[in-house]
Amino acid sequence: MTRLPLRRRGSVPAAVTLRLPGRLSLRARPRGAVVVTALALATTALVLLLLGTGQEQLGPLEVVRVLNGEATPTQWFLVHELRYPRALVAVLVGAALGIAGAAFQSVSRNPLGSPDIIGFTQGSVTGALTVVVLFGGGPGTVAAGAVAGGLATGAAVHLLTRRGGAQGYRLVLVGIGAAATLSAANGYLLTRAGVDEAARGLMWLTGSFQGRDWTQFWPLLAACALLVPALLTRGPALGLLEMGDDTARALGGRPEHIRLTALTGAVLLTAAATAAAGPVTFVALAAPQLARRLTRATGPDLPAAAAMGAALTTAADWTAQHALAAVTLPAGAVTGVLGGLYLMWLLHAERRGGRL
Amino acid sequence: MTPSAPARLTADAVTLRYDRSVVARDLTVAVPDRSFTVIVGPNACGKSTLLRALSRMLRPSEGRVLLDGEEISTLPAKRLARRLGLLPQTPVAPDGITVGDLVARGRYPHQGLLRQWSREDERVVTEAMAATGVTDLAERRVDELSGGQRQRIWIAMALAQQTELLLLDEPTTYLDIAHQIDILDLCARLHEEEGRTLVAVLHDLNHAARYATHLVALREGRVVAQGAPGDIITADLVEDVFRLPCRVIEDPETGTPLVVPAARRRAAVISG
């Protein structure tokens, strides 16, 4: 695989250091900062477009006017109560999945190590469906079920791969097995459901932002506020893990501890995202890799993965509402189609690179 | 270097095992201060396992590993990594990483959340690259380099860690003879000029005899002999440890022992 050199003499420096008093210092890569800023701007633009999209179309300028309070009550309701939470849920789900995917890929040292490939997303769905079908629970308990299902799957996969240290293909292969088993369980649960429950349960088969409101937004925001900074601080340790357990340990890292904390954070983020929107597939798989190709970072670039994830989900939601004139697709269908193409390309590239 | 120099690093009556298979039982080995200690022995004699135990990659099921009198399993990971470095046998370079970035990873145990890149980090990395002669490769990607260059870079990373003790697991494997000597000369220089204590596992007995100041010969998890190569390497020892009939002559270059394996005809006579 040919790639451009990571940095060239005399061009933009690969890293700049900010020195603070008290011998403190911070280091950042200008290229990464540019990528994150560009993706954040793109996401903002997409959110403005999403706020104008729906039964009553509004241009971006009209949207800004509505947000400033110059609007009819109908417009206010449409934008503030229907579209705003929906768009923000899309942003948070994308960021959560992007950062969780980057952590998973780092831990498994494999670009295929993404929660929707290795079963954690399916586990969340199993949890949610169990609550819907067997207990007829409301939205709050369904979300709790999704989180519990994701965590249980994470724990099971971790235990099954513990010997040999949950690394590389072992994690991916065990995860793929878990994903297949759980998908079958999800199908079975739906066949056991009554008509009403089945209709509610179907929502959990394809992720969507349709009808998401503030009741989904706030818990998701709380989860992100807690887990995103926690995972961000694991960034350097995750980079260490990519050098193999022995080198990581020789450099003063604790591989088992790094894996356990990073996986727990990532499983929780995935579960929170799935509880809010259902399984929005392939974002966690593609966002970190796309971000990495833009930033050309060598370690996991968690902020860029989060920004890329948010851009992808908002773009997917916009596309889902515009792709077909008569029908509104679920966003998960769009990410599924694009992600499938990406996965084919990835497998091809990995084969060519001799890693598969 | 005399064997009576105070020990920096000691495996004290350790039992080493992977799951149920015991590699060594009640093994005691001391690494003298400022020595270039080389561990030799036939395949599967436990030499790499011993190195892993000395560098806390493997926890002994019995006994202790002591660094300056402190048990290493009780030391915090980062603190230990500032005193004891290890270069594994086949280290993994992250995809697409540059030489400069890889060497800089050696500073991890000296860094923190709010101490990400100090002037000290910068200086030490620059020096480590100069000491190993890889300064000109700084911008290159590690996966583009040859085996010999790559090994130098890994040693540079271990140097950037600034540990007084450095453990190397078969640092010359997969290299041609010129690059093997190149790496060993580099190790000898680090040992002599910078006063570091080095411990290496080597396959080649003659390399060990030439470069080691302290030699540890293992067989089946037991120390058969240890001491200065000139004192302990004899034809009997080599036969004992490697089951190899040989003659030991003086290395015309260095005066150290040189092991010359017996010709096949003679070997046949001996075994018959």
Side-chain angles (χ1 to χ4, degrees):
Chain A
M1 201 177 337
T2 52
R3 248 184 272 167
L4 291 169
L6 283 175
R7 51 181 170 179
R8 272 159 297 182
R9 245 178 262 275
S11 64
V12 187
V16 290
T17 309
L18 175 66
R19 295 198 198 284
L20 306 166
R23 300 182 65 210
L24 298 182
S25 56
L26 298 172
R27 207 173 199 213
R29 299 164 43 90
R31 197 183 167 95
V34 168
V35 168
V36 171
T37 311
L39 287 170
L41 287 175
T43 306
T44 311
L46 282 161
V47 166
L48 285 181
L49 284 176
L50 281 176
L51 294 182
T53 300
Q55 291 284 344
E56 191 182 338
Q57 292 282 350
L58 298 170
L61 286 177
E62 285 173 295
V63 169
V64 172
R65 264 212 336 270
V66 174
L67 290 176
N68 281 333
E70 305 161 32
T72 64
T74 319
Q75 285 175 333
W76 174 263
F77 177 78
L78 277 177
V79 170
H80 270 262
E81 292 304 315
L82 296 184
R83 297 174 188 173
Y84 208 24
R86 171 185 180 150
L88 291 183
V89 165
V91 169
L92 287 183
V93 163
L97 290 178
I99 217 164
F104 279 123
Q105 289 170 358
S106 214
V107 167
S108 62
R109 295 179 198 135
N110 192 315
L112 289 174
S114 136
D116 34 20
I117 303 268
I118 59 180
F120 299 139
T121 310
Q122 288 81 350
S124 294
V125 172
T126 309
L129 282 179
T130 306
V131 172
V132 170
V133 174
L134 300 182
F135 305 107
T141 41
V142 172
V147 172
L151 269 182
T153 313
V157 170
H158 183 73
L159 283 178
L160 287 172
T161 52
R162 228 177 113 78
R163 278 168 55 100
Q167 47 186 277
Y169 276 97
R170 211 183 164 86
L171 182 71
V172 174
L173 289 178
V174 170
I176 287 175
T181 312
L182 290 166
S183 294
N186 294 342
Y188 174 76
L189 278 171
L190 277 182
T191 65
R192 308 299 302 163
V195 176
D196 289 349
E197 283 84 34
R200 275 179 66 202
L202 272 176
M203 275 175 36
W204 288 92
L205 292 189
T206 313
S208 170
F209 303 114
Q210 179 86 44
R212 298 301 183 270
D213 58 28
W214 298 109
T215 55
Q216 273 93 28
F217 172 76
W218 293 114
L220 181 59
L221 182 70
C224 286
L226 206 68
L227 295 166
V228 168
L231 271 177
L232 284 179
T233 62
R234 303 308 287 163
L238 283 170
L240 204 60
L241 213 54
E242 293 188 359
M243 306 176 76
D245 277 16
D246 281 356
T247 311
R249 210 171 279 138
L251 287 172
R254 288 184 293 156
E256 288 300 329
H257 182 252
I258 299 168
R259 264 195 285 275
L260 191 63
T261 50
L263 279 182
T264 308
V267 166
L268 284 172
L269 265 184
T270 307
T274 308
V280 182
T281 49
F282 290 110
V283 175
L285 176 75
Q289 294 295 319
L290 295 175
R292 216 165 161 157
R293 277 174 175 77
L294 289 181
T295 62
R296 297 189 195 146
T298 41
D301 197 331
L302 300 179
M308 178 62 84
L312 285 182
T313 44
T314 45
D317 196 27
W318 189 84
T319 311
Q321 296 182 59
H322 285 81
L324 300 173
V327 227
T328 300
L329 290 168
V334 175
T335 59
V337 170
L338 295 178
L341 294 173
Y342 168 77
L343 184 63
M344 276 159 59
W345 174 82
L346 179 68
L347 289 172
H348 180 66
E350 288 285 295
R351 258 181 88 91
R352 216 176 30 192
R355 277 168 302 211
L356 237 166
Chain B
M1 195 64 49
T2 60
S4 59
R8 292 299 305 272
L9 186 63
T10 315
D12 181 18
V14 291
T15 295
L16 308 174
R17 65 175 82 207
Y18 292 110
D19 293 324
R20 273 182 213 91
S21 73
V22 176
V23 179
R25 208 183 286 280
D26 200 24
L27 177 66
T28 297
V29 171
V31 175
D33 191 21
R34 290 176 184 264
S35 66
F36 185 168
T37 297
V38 175
I39 306 171
V40 294
N43 290 336
C45 70
K47 51 190 192 298
S48 282
T49 310
L50 171 62
L51 199 79
R52 291 179 69 77
L54 289 173
S55 57
R56 76 192 172 297
M57 299 293 134
L58 178 76
R59 204 179 171 145
S61 58
E62 279 163 57
R64 308 170 303 165
V65 175
L66 302 171
L67 171 65
D68 298 329
E70 286 179 281
E71 198 171 339
I72 59 169
S73 58
T74 62
L75 291 171
K78 270 194 172 181
R79 183 128 61 88
L80 184 58
R82 293 196 287 265
R83 291 163 64 184
L84 176 72
L86 168 80
L87 186 56
Q89 200 171 347
T90 43
V92 189
D95 247 358
I97 195 168
T98 60
V99 169
D101 284 347
L102 187 77
V103 177
R105 295 273 178 107
R107 296 304 291 166
Y108 183 83
H110 301 269
Q111 294 168 335
L113 200 54
L114 293 174
R115 244 200 102 194
Q116 299 179 345
W117 193 249
S118 66
R119 286 182 213 286
E120 174 83 351
D121 293 337
E122 183 87 48
R123 183 182 66 75
V124 173
V125 167
T126 310
E127 282 178 12
M129 293 180 60
T132 48
V134 298
T135 308
D136 290 343
L137 303 177
E139 321 279 326
R140 298 272 299 277
R141 279 173 41 168
V142 174
D143 44 24
E144 297 170 343
L145 303 178
S146 71
Q149 287 172 321
R150 227 176 279 184
Q151 195 61 301
R152 277 179 166 267
I153 283 148
W154 285 109
I155 292 177
M157 189 201 80
L159 287 184
Q161 209 176 327
Q162 266 187 316
T163 56
E164 286 176 29
L165 281 107
L166 179 55
L167 278 52
L168 307 125
D169 193 357
E170 299 195 12
T172 54
T173 311
Y174 309 124
L175 300 181
D176 63 40
I177 180 78
H179 285 102
Q180 291 183 20
I181 297 298
D182 178 60
I183 292 296
L184 289 168
D185 281 342
L186 172 61
C187 291
R189 216 176 61 232
L190 297 172
H191 166 246
E192 282 159 22
E193 292 171 16
E194 302 192 13
R196 288 179 204 252
T197 305
L198 298 190
V199 185
V201 167
L202 292 182
H203 255 303
D204 189 314
L205 193 51
N206 286 328
H207 289 168
R210 181 182 273 204
Y211 288 94
T213 62
H214 184 75
L215 193 67
V216 179
L218 288 187
R219 177 169 186 89
E220 288 167 2
R222 282 192 192 82
V223 177
V224 181
Q226 56 180 323
D231 296 341
I232 65 165
I233 296 185
T234 59
D236 284 347
L237 177 80
V238 176
E239 172 117 38
D240 247 20
V241 174
F242 289 95
R243 301 286 184 261
L244 175 74
C246 69
R247 280 197 286 165
V248 175
I249 59 173
E250 190 173 282
D251 186 330
E253 280 287 315
T254 55
T256 51
L258 184 68
V259 176
V260 183
R264 236 174 56 179
R265 204 150 27 115
R266 214 183 136 224
V269 171
I270 285 172
S271 65

